[in-house]
Each structure stands twice: as C-alpha cells, then as structure tokens.
Amino acid sequence: MSSTPTALVTGITGQDGSYLAELLLEKGYQVVGLHRRSSTVTFERITHLMDRITLVPADLLDEASIIRVLRDHRPSEVYNLAAQSFVQTSFIQPVLTGEVTALGVTRLLDAILLTDPSIRFYQASSSEMFGKVVEVPQSERTPFHPRSPYGVAKSYGHWLTVNYRESYGMHASSGILFNHESPRRGLEFVTRKVAFTAAAISLGMQSELRLGNLDARRDWGYAPDYVQAMWLMLQQDSPDDYVIATGETHSVRELCEVAFGHLGLDWERHVVVDEQFLRPAEVDLLIGEPKKARTSLGWEPRVGFEELVRMMVDADLAALSAAGAAPAGATGS
C-alpha cells in the first residue's frame, strides 16, 4: 500500500482550491480534485498544476458520483470547498444555493460514512453565518444569525458537520473563515473588483467603479494563509471548529482608499454608490477572534490588509498592461 497520502478537494478550480492544491502538493500528497461537467467551468487558477493533480467529474448534487470517486481514489482527507459562494447570487438563486452549499455537505458526509468513516473531513464554513452579529469580535462560541440564503446554507453545512462528528465519531472539522482574498479572487467579489477597476482606471480603460455599501466592514485576510489553517485542522488528534481571521476590520471605503491611493488616484473621483448593489439584508460588521486557532493550531496570518490590497492591485495592473484590454463585468459590487 502506498505511503503517499491522497487528499480529495471539492471546489479545486476556485481561489481556495487552487492554493490548497499547491500546499498539499508541497507536502507530498496525491491531489484529486472534483469538477462538474459544465460549459462554465474554468481551470485558469490550476492550469499550472494540471500535470500534477488528478481531476475527476462529480457533483455535490449527485451522491452516487461522490461515492464512486471515494471508492476509486481512497483519500485519507477530504476538503469540501465547493459551494455557490457568492452572497448576492444567493438572494437570486436561493434554492440552488441550498442544494449545493447546504445539502451538498449532507451528500458528501453521507458518502464518506458509507465508504470509509475514517476519512478526515474539512468543511468550509463562513463568517457570513454570524450575519447580524450579537457580539464583537466573533468567536467559535458566538451564536449564528445569518442574513442571506448563503449564510443560512453555510450554517446548515456547519451544524451537519458537527452532527456527523458527534453521531458517528468522524474526524470532521469546520473552519469558520472570515473574508480571505488574493489575486485569484473572482471579479464578482468586492476586493478583486476594487483592485481590478482601480488598475483599469489608472490605465485609462475605465472611468468609474459602482459599489454598494461603502460602510460595510470586513475582516480581510490572505487566502494562502487560510488554506494553511485548513490543513492544520485535519492534522490534529481530535476534530474541532475554528475561527480563522486576522482580528482586524476594515471598511469598503478603506479598501478603495488603499487600492486607488496605491496608484496615485483619488478614489472619491471614481467610485459611485449604486443602490442596485445593496443587499436586501446587510451584514455591517464582521471581525473574527482567532485566538483558538493561534493557540491550538499554531496558526498566524502573515499578510496584512494594506499589503494584500496592494498585491492585488499590482497583479491586476500587470495583467491588464500585458493584455492591453479590460474584460467586461468588473464594475459592480
């Protein structure tokens, strides 16, 4: 039997999946990634890894396909990063969000239970579960009050992970991750949207950026730091849940100030508040308390907010300068 561990990653084509795959490969794992057979799936974030990972078709809507992958590849660790992960979309497609982000966790955990209950499982929980926060900062003990279908679906997946851990003795852990960003973040997310559009404006490709609530505050960290925490959770003797955050909070307004200021631009001359980008129910202040992760996992965030924003702006500036044109769809919030 091979001594090389195998890890299965759902959502491997996303920001976190690509960074996690890199980390696991560095640590000597065989990496198997799930992807849906869909005309919209893109592999741009993992193109540089394609000759080192195994991609298999499966879907969180289809438990039989998950069971087949588990039986064929026999992973010792499963990282569930797949979800309908955009909050704004969850208001427009709440049923799909529930099917994938909530019930998808059920299908995956049940498939593990039926196939090999010794598999260690990581569930990507979210700070959006806290929603209308009852205390600041938010820790593992803070009650949930989600304010979007996405937050509700993530709460379901979180509690189901706890339930399978307690009911069946599975090594199932959840990372309650606060916002984490990188140059690989999708254009629909506000950090990447601000970085991209600031770069485009500096090159004369666009003139304005339309956003929603500039006063919303988030705890923003660097995605590669956060996938390190995911891996650390599954190396512990006992499963548990951990808040992964920087412990600092910044507003969308500050995000604009840093991004545009890095390019010598006055953000107030270019940013327009557009009501169509306001959420039906806003989450105003999220800030995590990562003390447990620091103490139990030995985890620390390495990249700060301003460094992160400047990194994202520089990456978009370089890409746009090389391409000579800006793709559409980066002016909303």
Side-chain angles (χ1 to χ4, degrees), residues 34 56-70 111:
L34 293 192
V56 292
D59 199 313
L60 292 188
L61 301 179
D62 178 10
E63 187 170 336
S65 70
I66 300 169
I67 291 173
R68 184 165 56 250
V69 171
L70 291 173

Side-chain angles (χ1 to χ4, degrees), residues 305-322:
F305 173 72
E306 292 194 8
E307 180 185 354
L308 169 62
V309 177
R310 290 193 296 265
M311 176 197 308
M312 294 176 68
V313 170
D314 287 342
D316 276 324
L317 187 65
L320 286 172
S321 298

Side-chain angles (χ1 to χ4, degrees), residues 12-22 44-46 48-49 181-189 192 222-224 311-312 315-316:
I12 196 168
T13 61
Q15 169 189 256
D16 292 6
S18 67
Y19 285 120
L20 179 61
E22 289 175 349
E44 62 184 40
R45 295 184 182 94
I46 56 170
H48 62 299
L49 304 175
E181 319 297 322
S182 76
R184 297 181 193 172
R185 195 56 144 155
L187 281 169
E188 68 271 25
F189 291 88
R192 177 73 195 290
Y222 182 44
M311 176 197 308
M312 294 176 68
D316 276 324

Side-chain angles (χ1 to χ4, degrees), residues 25-78:
L25 288 169
E26 288 171 8
K27 294 186 177 296
Y29 285 74
Q30 293 182 358
V31 178
V32 179
L34 293 192
H35 73 93
R36 291 182 298 124
R37 286 202 180 277
S38 166
S39 60
T40 60
V41 171
T42 63
F43 298 101
E44 62 184 40
R45 295 184 182 94
I46 56 170
T47 301
H48 62 299
L49 304 175
M50 295 292 267
D51 61 342
R52 301 171 62 199
I53 62 178
T54 301
L55 291 176
V56 292
D59 199 313
L60 292 188
L61 301 179
D62 178 10
E63 187 170 336
S65 70
I66 300 169
I67 291 173
R68 184 165 56 250
V69 171
L70 291 173
R71 287 177 174 167
D72 288 348
H73 296 275
R74 297 291 174 182
S76 57
E77 298 174 4
V78 171

Side-chain angles (χ1 to χ4, degrees), residues 162-289:
V162 173
N163 182 258
Y164 270 65
R165 180 169 74 216
E166 295 178 351
S167 299
Y168 305 112
M170 293 172 63
H171 195 295
S173 297
S174 285
I176 306 174
L177 270 57
F178 281 65
N179 295 63
H180 47 288
E181 319 297 322
S182 76
R184 297 181 193 172
R185 195 56 144 155
L187 281 169
E188 68 271 25
F189 291 88
V190 69
T191 45
R192 177 73 195 290
K193 194 173 305 172
V194 169
F196 175 91
T197 310
I201 289 172
S202 76
L203 294 172
M205 295 173 172
Q206 294 186 32
S207 60
E208 69 175 25
L209 168 62
R210 291 184 172 269
L211 295 173
N213 182 10
L214 298 182
D215 295 319
R217 302 183 68 86
R218 294 291 183 272
D219 185 327
W220 277 302
Y222 182 44
D225 290 348
Y226 286 44
V227 301
Q228 173 80 16
M230 299 176 188
W231 177 79
L232 285 170
M233 289 179 212
L234 297 201
Q235 312 318 306
Q236 304 306 304
D237 292 336
S238 300
D240 209 340
D241 306 320
Y242 298 89
V243 163
I244 305 299
T246 68
E248 298 180 3
T249 184
H250 300 275
S251 68
V252 175
R253 193 181 307 275
E254 290 176 74
L255 171 63
C256 293
E257 289 173 356
V258 175
F260 281 82
H262 182 52
L263 298 170
L265 298 172
D266 179 359
W267 72 275
E268 292 183 291
R269 294 181 59 188
H270 302 284
V271 174
V272 178
V273 175
D274 189 332
E275 289 188 1
Q276 72 168 309
F277 299 121
L278 297 174
R279 297 181 184 180
E282 182 59 87
V283 176
D284 293 314
L285 176 59
L286 290 173
I287 176 171
E289 172 48 82

